[in-house]
Amino acid sequence: MPEQPQDSLLGLDYQELSEIAQRYGQPEYRARQLFDALYPQRLSELDSVSTLPSPFRAALKKEGLEIRHPRIEKSFQSTDGTIRYLIAMADGETVETVWMPEGDGGESGDGTEAGDSDWRRATICVSSQVGCAVNCQFCLTALLGVKRNLSAGEIVGQVIAVLNHRQVDMERQRVNIVFMGMGEPFLNYPQFMKAVRLLAEGVGFPESRMTVSTSGIIPRIADFGGEPLRPKLAISLNASNNEVRSRIMPINRKWSLEMLLQAARDFPLRNRERITFEYVLLDGVNDSVAHARELIELLRGIRCKVNLIALNPGPGIDFGTPAEHRVKDFQELLAKAGVPVFVRRPRGLDIYAACGQLKRTVA
Ligand code: SF4
Protein backbone atom coordinates (compact mmCIF):
# COMPACT_ATOMS: atom_id res chain seq x y z
CA MET A 1 0.00 0.00 0.00
CA PRO A 2 1.61 3.30 -1.05
CA GLU A 3 2.40 6.01 1.43
CA GLN A 4 3.09 9.64 0.65
CA PRO A 5 3.87 9.95 -3.10
CA GLN A 6 7.48 10.99 -3.49
CA ASP A 7 6.71 14.00 -5.68
CA SER A 8 4.00 15.65 -3.60
CA LEU A 9 4.68 18.41 -1.09
CA LEU A 10 1.09 18.23 0.15
CA GLY A 11 1.05 15.77 3.03
CA LEU A 12 4.52 16.66 4.33
CA ASP A 13 4.66 17.92 7.89
CA TYR A 14 6.75 20.80 9.23
CA GLN A 15 9.69 18.53 10.09
CA GLU A 16 9.79 17.03 6.58
CA LEU A 17 9.54 20.47 4.96
CA SER A 18 12.35 21.65 7.17
CA GLU A 19 14.51 18.76 5.92
CA ILE A 20 13.75 19.80 2.33
CA ALA A 21 14.70 23.41 3.06
CA GLN A 22 17.97 22.21 4.60
CA ARG A 23 18.71 19.97 1.64
CA TYR A 24 18.50 23.01 -0.63
CA GLY A 25 20.62 25.13 1.68
CA GLN A 26 17.64 27.33 2.59
CA PRO A 27 17.14 28.99 5.99
CA GLU A 28 14.72 27.37 8.44
CA TYR A 29 12.01 29.97 7.89
CA ARG A 30 11.52 28.68 4.35
CA ALA A 31 9.96 25.55 5.88
CA ARG A 32 7.42 27.75 7.68
CA GLN A 33 6.67 29.62 4.44
CA LEU A 34 6.10 26.33 2.62
CA PHE A 35 3.94 24.98 5.44
CA ASP A 36 1.82 28.15 5.46
CA ALA A 37 1.38 28.02 1.70
CA LEU A 38 0.36 24.36 1.73
CA TYR A 39 -2.07 24.34 4.65
CA PRO A 40 -3.48 27.63 6.00
CA GLN A 41 -3.29 29.32 2.57
CA ARG A 42 -4.25 26.17 0.64
CA LEU A 43 -2.27 27.21 -2.45
CA SER A 44 -2.28 24.73 -5.31
CA GLU A 45 0.78 25.83 -7.32
CA LEU A 46 4.36 26.37 -6.23
CA ASP A 47 4.45 29.35 -8.58
CA SER A 48 1.89 31.15 -6.44
CA VAL A 49 4.02 30.82 -3.29
CA SER A 50 5.43 34.33 -3.69
CA THR A 51 7.19 34.23 -0.32
CA LEU A 52 9.70 31.72 -1.69
CA PRO A 53 12.58 32.93 -3.89
CA SER A 54 12.06 31.81 -7.45
CA PRO A 55 15.40 29.86 -7.69
CA PHE A 56 14.23 27.71 -4.74
CA ARG A 57 10.85 27.12 -6.39
CA ALA A 58 12.56 26.25 -9.65
CA ALA A 59 14.91 23.83 -7.87
CA LEU A 60 11.98 22.05 -6.22
CA LYS A 61 10.16 21.79 -9.52
CA LYS A 62 13.27 20.53 -11.26
CA GLU A 63 13.30 17.64 -8.80
CA GLY A 64 9.65 17.01 -9.66
CA LEU A 65 8.34 18.32 -6.35
CA GLU A 66 4.98 20.09 -6.61
CA ILE A 67 1.97 20.74 -4.43
CA ARG A 68 -0.33 18.36 -6.32
CA HIS A 69 -3.87 18.82 -5.09
CA PRO A 70 -6.18 15.94 -5.95
CA ARG A 71 -8.44 16.88 -8.85
CA ILE A 72 -12.21 17.23 -8.64
CA GLU A 73 -13.30 15.04 -11.53
CA LYS A 74 -17.04 15.40 -11.16
CA SER A 75 -19.53 16.81 -8.71
CA PHE A 76 -23.18 16.00 -8.15
CA GLN A 77 -25.47 18.43 -6.37
CA SER A 78 -28.48 17.30 -4.35
CA THR A 79 -31.69 19.24 -3.90
CA ASP A 80 -30.81 19.51 -0.19
CA GLY A 81 -27.55 21.38 -0.92
CA THR A 82 -25.29 18.34 -0.44
CA ILE A 83 -22.55 17.94 -3.04
CA ARG A 84 -20.88 14.62 -3.76
CA TYR A 85 -17.42 15.02 -5.27
CA LEU A 86 -15.61 12.38 -7.25
CA ILE A 87 -11.96 13.19 -6.61
CA ALA A 88 -9.07 11.78 -8.63
CA MET A 89 -5.62 11.09 -7.18
CA ALA A 90 -2.40 11.35 -9.18
CA ASP A 91 -2.53 7.67 -10.20
CA GLY A 92 -6.10 8.05 -11.51
CA GLU A 93 -7.78 6.27 -8.57
CA THR A 94 -10.90 8.05 -7.41
CA VAL A 95 -12.62 8.49 -4.04
CA GLU A 96 -15.69 10.34 -2.91
CA THR A 97 -15.89 13.33 -0.61
CA VAL A 98 -19.18 14.89 0.45
CA TRP A 99 -19.99 18.49 1.31
CA MET A 100 -23.03 18.90 3.55
CA PRO A 101 -24.10 22.49 4.25
CA GLU A 102 -26.56 23.16 7.03
CA GLY A 103 -28.87 25.99 7.93
CA ASP A 104 -29.12 26.75 11.63
CA GLY A 105 -30.04 23.16 12.47
CA GLY A 106 -28.84 21.57 15.68
CA GLU A 107 -26.95 18.36 16.10
CA SER A 108 -30.09 16.29 15.62
CA GLY A 109 -30.33 17.78 12.14
CA ASP A 110 -33.69 19.31 12.80
CA GLY A 111 -33.04 22.71 11.26
CA THR A 112 -33.75 24.20 7.91
CA GLU A 113 -31.92 22.97 4.86
CA ALA A 114 -29.39 25.30 3.37
CA GLY A 115 -29.08 26.13 -0.29
CA ASP A 116 -25.83 26.59 -2.14
CA SER A 117 -24.82 29.90 -0.59
CA ASP A 118 -26.79 30.40 2.63
CA TRP A 119 -25.11 27.80 4.82
CA ARG A 120 -24.14 28.66 8.36
CA ARG A 121 -21.99 25.63 8.88
CA ALA A 122 -21.05 22.59 6.92
CA THR A 123 -19.56 19.15 7.27
CA ILE A 124 -17.11 17.47 4.92
CA CYS A 125 -17.20 13.68 4.84
CA VAL A 126 -13.75 12.40 3.89
CA SER A 127 -12.49 9.07 2.53
CA SER A 128 -9.46 7.30 3.99
CA GLN A 129 -9.00 4.43 1.53
CA VAL A 130 -9.86 3.65 -2.09
CA GLY A 131 -12.73 1.23 -1.42
CA CYS A 132 -12.98 -0.74 1.82
CA ALA A 133 -12.11 -4.23 3.02
CA VAL A 134 -14.44 -4.38 6.00
CA ASN A 135 -17.39 -5.69 4.01
CA CYS A 136 -20.33 -4.37 6.02
CA GLN A 137 -23.31 -5.94 4.33
CA PHE A 138 -25.41 -2.77 4.23
CA CYS A 139 -22.74 -0.56 2.61
CA LEU A 140 -22.22 0.04 -1.09
CA THR A 141 -18.54 0.93 -0.64
CA ALA A 142 -17.96 -2.65 0.50
CA LEU A 143 -18.86 -3.86 -2.98
CA LEU A 144 -15.68 -2.21 -4.32
CA GLY A 145 -13.30 -4.14 -2.07
CA VAL A 146 -10.18 -2.23 -1.04
CA LYS A 147 -7.73 -1.00 -3.68
CA ARG A 148 -5.26 0.95 -1.60
CA ASN A 149 -4.70 3.25 1.32
CA LEU A 150 -4.72 6.99 0.80
CA SER A 151 -1.67 8.96 1.82
CA ALA A 152 -1.95 11.77 4.38
CA GLY A 153 -1.59 14.24 1.49
CA GLU A 154 -4.46 12.60 -0.37
CA ILE A 155 -6.68 12.74 2.73
CA VAL A 156 -5.85 16.38 3.45
CA GLY A 157 -6.05 17.08 -0.29
CA GLN A 158 -9.71 16.05 -0.43
CA VAL A 159 -10.53 18.53 2.31
CA ILE A 160 -8.54 21.32 0.67
CA ALA A 161 -10.04 20.63 -2.77
CA VAL A 162 -13.55 20.97 -1.32
CA LEU A 163 -12.71 24.03 0.84
CA ASN A 164 -11.25 25.77 -2.19
CA HIS A 165 -14.15 24.79 -4.42
CA ARG A 166 -16.62 26.19 -1.86
CA GLN A 167 -14.33 29.18 -1.22
CA VAL A 168 -14.48 28.61 2.53
CA ASP A 169 -12.94 31.17 4.83
CA MET A 170 -11.75 29.14 7.83
CA GLU A 171 -11.57 32.22 10.04
CA ARG A 172 -15.21 33.13 9.56
CA GLN A 173 -17.05 29.96 8.59
CA ARG A 174 -17.57 26.83 10.61
CA VAL A 175 -16.77 23.53 9.01
CA ASN A 176 -16.63 20.08 10.60
CA ILE A 177 -14.89 17.00 9.26
CA VAL A 178 -16.14 13.45 9.58
CA PHE A 179 -13.89 10.60 8.52
CA MET A 180 -16.82 8.49 7.44
CA GLY A 181 -16.40 8.31 3.67
CA MET A 182 -14.93 5.37 1.81
CA GLY A 183 -12.66 3.12 3.84
CA GLU A 184 -11.87 2.20 7.44
CA PRO A 185 -9.58 4.95 8.78
CA PHE A 186 -8.14 2.68 11.49
CA LEU A 187 -6.87 0.27 8.83
CA ASN A 188 -4.83 3.18 7.44
CA TYR A 189 -3.91 4.50 10.86
CA PRO A 190 -0.50 6.23 10.43
CA GLN A 191 -1.55 8.17 7.33
CA PHE A 192 -4.95 8.98 8.82
CA MET A 193 -3.38 10.34 12.01
CA LYS A 194 -0.80 12.34 10.07
CA ALA A 195 -3.66 13.88 8.06
CA VAL A 196 -5.46 14.74 11.31
CA ARG A 197 -2.39 16.59 12.61
CA LEU A 198 -1.98 18.52 9.36
CA LEU A 199 -5.66 19.46 9.34
CA ALA A 200 -5.49 20.62 12.96
CA GLU A 201 -2.11 22.35 13.00
CA GLY A 202 -2.09 23.48 9.37
CA VAL A 203 -5.50 23.93 7.82
CA GLY A 204 -7.13 25.13 11.04
CA PHE A 205 -9.61 22.49 12.19
CA PRO A 206 -9.83 22.20 15.98
CA GLU A 207 -9.80 18.53 17.03
CA SER A 208 -13.28 19.01 18.50
CA ARG A 209 -14.59 19.63 14.98
CA MET A 210 -13.35 16.33 13.63
CA THR A 211 -14.94 12.90 14.18
CA VAL A 212 -13.66 9.53 13.06
CA SER A 213 -15.85 6.50 12.70
CA THR A 214 -14.54 2.96 13.06
CA SER A 215 -16.19 -0.37 12.47
CA GLY A 216 -14.35 -1.61 15.57
CA ILE A 217 -10.62 -2.17 14.96
CA ILE A 218 -9.96 -2.82 18.65
CA PRO A 219 -6.16 -2.40 18.89
CA ARG A 220 -6.38 0.92 17.10
CA ILE A 221 -9.14 2.23 19.38
CA ALA A 222 -6.68 1.85 22.25
CA ASP A 223 -3.88 3.57 20.27
CA PHE A 224 -6.25 6.37 19.32
CA GLY A 225 -7.18 6.96 22.97
CA GLY A 226 -3.50 7.64 23.69
CA GLU A 227 -3.04 10.27 20.96
CA PRO A 228 -2.27 13.76 22.29
CA LEU A 229 -4.32 15.29 19.46
CA ARG A 230 -7.29 13.35 18.17
CA PRO A 231 -10.77 13.74 16.68
CA LYS A 232 -13.87 12.52 18.51
CA LEU A 233 -14.63 8.82 18.30
CA ALA A 234 -17.68 7.24 16.69
CA ILE A 235 -18.23 3.50 16.60
CA SER A 236 -20.34 1.91 13.90
CA LEU A 237 -22.27 -0.53 16.10
CA ASN A 238 -25.42 -1.49 14.18
CA ALA A 239 -26.44 -4.45 16.31
CA SER A 240 -27.28 -5.32 19.89
CA ASN A 241 -25.96 -8.89 19.88
CA ASN A 242 -23.15 -10.90 18.30
CA GLU A 243 -25.42 -13.03 16.16
CA VAL A 244 -26.83 -10.04 14.25
CA ARG A 245 -23.59 -8.06 14.24
CA SER A 246 -21.51 -10.92 12.84
CA ARG A 247 -24.10 -11.36 10.09
CA ILE A 248 -24.12 -7.73 8.99
CA MET A 249 -20.53 -6.82 9.93
CA PRO A 250 -18.13 -9.75 9.44
CA ILE A 251 -15.44 -7.85 11.38
CA ASN A 252 -17.41 -8.82 14.50
CA ARG A 253 -16.19 -12.41 14.08
CA LYS A 254 -12.69 -11.16 14.77
CA TRP A 255 -13.50 -8.57 17.43
CA SER A 256 -16.74 -9.38 19.26
CA LEU A 257 -19.29 -6.99 20.65
CA GLU A 258 -18.00 -7.62 24.20
CA MET A 259 -14.46 -6.68 23.13
CA LEU A 260 -15.75 -3.61 21.34
CA LEU A 261 -17.79 -2.37 24.29
CA GLN A 262 -14.88 -3.00 26.64
CA ALA A 263 -12.68 -0.88 24.35
CA ALA A 264 -15.35 1.83 24.50
CA ARG A 265 -15.48 1.64 28.31
CA ASP A 266 -11.68 1.88 28.51
CA PHE A 267 -11.50 4.81 26.09
CA PRO A 268 -10.18 7.95 27.84
CA LEU A 269 -12.84 10.58 27.16
CA ARG A 270 -12.14 14.28 27.55
CA ASN A 271 -14.31 16.60 29.60
CA ARG A 272 -17.91 16.56 28.38
CA GLU A 273 -16.97 14.23 25.50
CA ARG A 274 -19.16 11.27 24.56
CA ILE A 275 -18.57 8.33 22.25
CA THR A 276 -21.03 8.26 19.38
CA PHE A 277 -22.53 4.89 18.51
CA GLU A 278 -23.93 4.76 15.00
CA TYR A 279 -26.76 2.36 14.45
CA VAL A 280 -28.08 1.76 10.93
CA LEU A 281 -31.62 0.40 11.26
CA LEU A 282 -32.32 -2.49 8.89
CA ASP A 283 -35.92 -3.53 8.48
CA GLY A 284 -36.69 -6.68 10.48
CA VAL A 285 -33.00 -7.30 11.26
CA ASN A 286 -31.93 -5.05 14.16
CA ASP A 287 -34.86 -2.66 14.68
CA SER A 288 -37.25 -4.43 17.08
CA VAL A 289 -38.26 -3.45 20.60
CA ALA A 290 -36.20 -6.38 21.90
CA HIS A 291 -33.13 -5.06 20.05
CA ALA A 292 -33.64 -1.60 21.53
CA ARG A 293 -33.83 -3.09 25.06
CA GLU A 294 -30.70 -5.17 24.43
CA LEU A 295 -28.90 -2.06 23.20
CA ILE A 296 -29.86 -0.07 26.31
CA GLU A 297 -28.29 -2.80 28.48
CA LEU A 298 -25.15 -2.91 26.35
CA LEU A 299 -24.54 0.81 26.62
CA ARG A 300 -25.14 1.06 30.35
CA GLY A 301 -22.31 2.95 32.04
CA ILE A 302 -20.75 4.27 28.82
CA ARG A 303 -20.78 8.03 28.34
CA CYS A 304 -22.27 8.02 24.86
CA LYS A 305 -24.93 9.07 22.43
CA VAL A 306 -26.59 7.06 19.69
CA ASN A 307 -27.16 8.18 16.10
CA LEU A 308 -29.90 6.20 14.40
CA ILE A 309 -29.82 6.05 10.61
CA ALA A 310 -32.62 4.34 8.69
CA LEU A 311 -30.89 2.35 5.94
CA ASN A 312 -30.21 4.27 2.75
CA PRO A 313 -31.11 1.74 0.09
CA GLY A 314 -28.95 0.95 -2.92
CA PRO A 315 -28.59 -1.59 -5.69
CA GLY A 316 -26.92 -4.78 -4.48
CA ILE A 317 -27.93 -4.25 -0.83
CA ASP A 318 -30.22 -6.99 0.47
CA PHE A 319 -31.82 -5.10 3.34
CA GLY A 320 -34.88 -2.89 3.57
CA THR A 321 -35.49 0.50 5.18
CA PRO A 322 -37.70 0.32 8.30
CA ALA A 323 -40.99 2.20 8.39
CA GLU A 324 -40.84 5.59 10.05
CA HIS A 325 -42.89 4.50 13.07
CA ARG A 326 -40.38 1.70 13.82
CA VAL A 327 -37.53 4.22 13.81
CA LYS A 328 -39.54 6.46 16.13
CA ASP A 329 -40.40 3.62 18.51
CA PHE A 330 -36.74 2.57 18.66
CA GLN A 331 -35.67 6.14 19.37
CA GLU A 332 -38.31 6.59 22.08
CA LEU A 333 -37.27 3.45 23.93
CA LEU A 334 -33.66 4.62 24.09
CA ALA A 335 -34.63 8.16 25.06
CA LYS A 336 -36.88 6.89 27.86
CA ALA A 337 -33.97 4.88 29.22
CA GLY A 338 -31.91 8.07 29.37
CA VAL A 339 -29.71 7.37 26.33
CA PRO A 340 -29.12 10.55 24.27
CA VAL A 341 -30.38 9.52 20.83
CA PHE A 342 -30.72 11.32 17.50
CA VAL A 343 -32.19 10.29 14.18
CA ARG A 344 -29.89 11.38 11.38
CA ARG A 345 -31.54 12.67 8.26
CA PRO A 346 -30.11 11.16 5.12
CA ARG A 347 -28.19 13.79 3.13
CA GLY A 348 -27.89 13.76 -0.64
CA LEU A 349 -30.00 10.62 -1.10
CA ASP A 350 -30.86 11.63 -4.66
CA ILE A 351 -27.17 11.76 -5.68
CA TYR A 352 -25.91 8.63 -3.86
CA ALA A 353 -24.12 10.72 -1.26
CA ALA A 354 -25.82 9.42 1.88
CA CYS A 355 -24.22 7.14 4.51
CA GLY A 356 -23.26 3.79 3.06
CA GLN A 357 -23.90 4.88 -0.52
CA LEU A 358 -20.42 5.93 -1.63
CA LYS A 359 -19.52 3.73 -4.55
CA ARG A 360 -18.06 6.12 -7.14
CA THR A 361 -21.39 6.19 -8.97
CA VAL A 362 -20.95 8.54 -11.94
CA ALA A 363 -24.53 9.10 -13.10
S1 SF4 B 1 -19.60 0.96 6.47
FE1 SF4 B 1 -17.53 1.86 6.51
S2 SF4 B 1 -16.25 0.17 7.33
FE2 SF4 B 1 -18.17 -0.78 6.64
S3 SF4 B 1 -17.76 -1.41 4.51
FE3 SF4 B 1 -18.68 0.65 4.42
S4 SF4 B 1 -16.92 2.05 4.33
FE4 SF4 B 1 -16.16 0.06 5.09
Side-chain angles (χ1 to χ4, degrees):
M1 297 255 190
E3 305 260 307
Q4 178 67 25
Q6 295 300 301
D7 57 358
S8 173
L9 292 167
L10 190 72
L12 299 182
D13 58 23
Y14 183 81
Q15 183 56 37
E16 290 164 321
L17 293 172
S18 166
E19 284 161 18
I20 287 184
Q22 261 178 34
R23 205 162 78 221
Y24 286 86
Q26 296 289 322
E28 178 68 21
Y29 63 83
R30 296 287 179 224
R32 173 53 59 191
Q33 289 170 330
L34 258 173
F35 188 86
D36 288 348
L38 287 169
Y39 304 112
Q41 294 166 20
R42 312 191 310 247
L43 298 179
S44 59
E45 305 279 343
L46 258 185
D47 282 334
S48 22
V49 188
S50 52
T51 46
L52 296 179
S54 55
F56 181 34
R57 278 184 267 154
L60 290 172
K61 287 198 330 198
K62 197 164 166 221
E63 206 181 295
L65 280 168
E66 255 292 0
I67 295 182
R68 297 194 206 290
H69 283 181
R71 199 181 67 254
I72 295 177
E73 194 140 285
K74 277 196 160 86
S75 62
F76 306 86
Q77 175 132 18
S78 163
T79 49
D80 68 13
T82 300
I83 303 175
R84 176 169 65 90
Y85 291 96
L86 188 69
I87 296 190
M89 305 301 156
D91 64 354
E93 284 296 351
T94 51
V95 295
E96 301 204 324
T97 313
V98 183
W99 166 262
M100 293 170 283
E102 281 176 37
D104 48 5
E107 210 180 357
S108 57
D110 57 355
T112 53
E113 307 243 328
D116 196 24
S117 57
D118 58 352
W119 60 280
R120 307 231 176 129
R121 58 185 173 190
T123 300
I124 303 176
C125 178
V126 181
S127 294
S128 53
Q129 296 181 301
V130 182
C132 187
V134 177
N135 202 18
C136 303
Q137 299 294 294
F138 48 84
C139 171
L140 282 171
T141 307
L143 301 175
L144 299 171
V146 67
K147 289 214 156 165
R148 68 170 176 87
N149 282 335
L150 293 178
S151 67
E154 290 170 328
I155 297 172
V156 174
Q158 290 169 70
V159 176
I160 289 181
V162 172
L163 292 176
N164 286 356
H165 189 252
R166 305 317 300 156
Q167 297 180 337
V168 173
D169 178 348
M170 289 293 290
E171 304 267 308
R172 303 162 65 130
Q173 290 168 303
R174 188 187 159 122
V175 180
N176 299 309
I177 291 179
V178 293
F179 297 96
M180 300 185 185
M182 298 166 74
E184 163 55 81
F186 284 5
L187 290 180
N188 183 19
Y189 191 79
Q191 294 297 307
F192 156 70
M193 277 310 302
K194 187 179 184 194
V196 162
R197 290 188 290 273
L198 293 172
L199 288 165
E201 290 157 4
V203 185
F205 287 93
E207 53 187 339
S208 59
R209 283 201 207 145
M210 297 190 268
T211 303
V212 61
S213 173
T214 180
S215 57
I217 312 297
I218 304 286
R220 290 309 197 189
I221 293 178
D223 293 343
F224 186 64
E227 295 285 352
L229 185 155
R230 65 161 175 82
K232 293 184 282 187
L233 177 67
I235 293 176
S236 184
L237 190 65
N238 309 315
S240 56
N241 60 56
N242 279 314
E243 189 263 315
V244 175
R245 195 164 194 270
S246 293
R247 182 147 64 95
I248 62 176
M249 298 182 73
I251 192 103
N252 194 68
R253 293 177 204 148
K254 180 162 187 181
W255 289 298
S256 68
L257 208 46
E258 291 74 25
M259 294 164 84
L260 182 56
L261 289 158
Q262 192 54 49
R265 275 175 225 284
D266 294 342
F267 192 75
L269 289 167
R270 296 180 284 235
N271 267 353
R272 303 214 316 249
E273 187 183 9
R274 290 175 186 273
I275 293 180
T276 301
F277 286 102
E278 295 158 317
Y279 197 103
V280 177
L281 290 158
L282 309 171
D283 189 31
V285 176
N286 62 359
D287 63 341
S288 70
V289 169
H291 291 129
R293 296 212 167 106
E294 231 173 10
L295 182 60
I296 291 164
E297 285 314 309
L298 278 186
L299 300 183
R300 217 172 271 291
I302 304 179
R303 212 193 317 151
C304 67
K305 64 176 180 172
V306 173
N307 281 345
L308 298 175
I309 305 149
L311 175 74
N312 297 313
I317 298 297
D318 289 336
F319 299 105
T321 306
E324 228 169 90
H325 69 88
R326 279 182 81 89
V327 177
K328 207 159 174 279
D329 290 350
F330 202 95
Q331 181 187 21
E332 272 174 17
L333 279 167
L334 264 63
K336 270 194 200 134
V339 179
V341 54
F342 305 92
V343 177
R344 308 301 304 202
R345 286 175 304 166
R347 299 296 311 264
L349 253 189
D350 53 338
I351 52 159
Y352 286 100
C355 290
Q357 286 195 317
L358 301 184
K359 202 191 72 167
R360 307 195 291 188
T361 309
V362 288

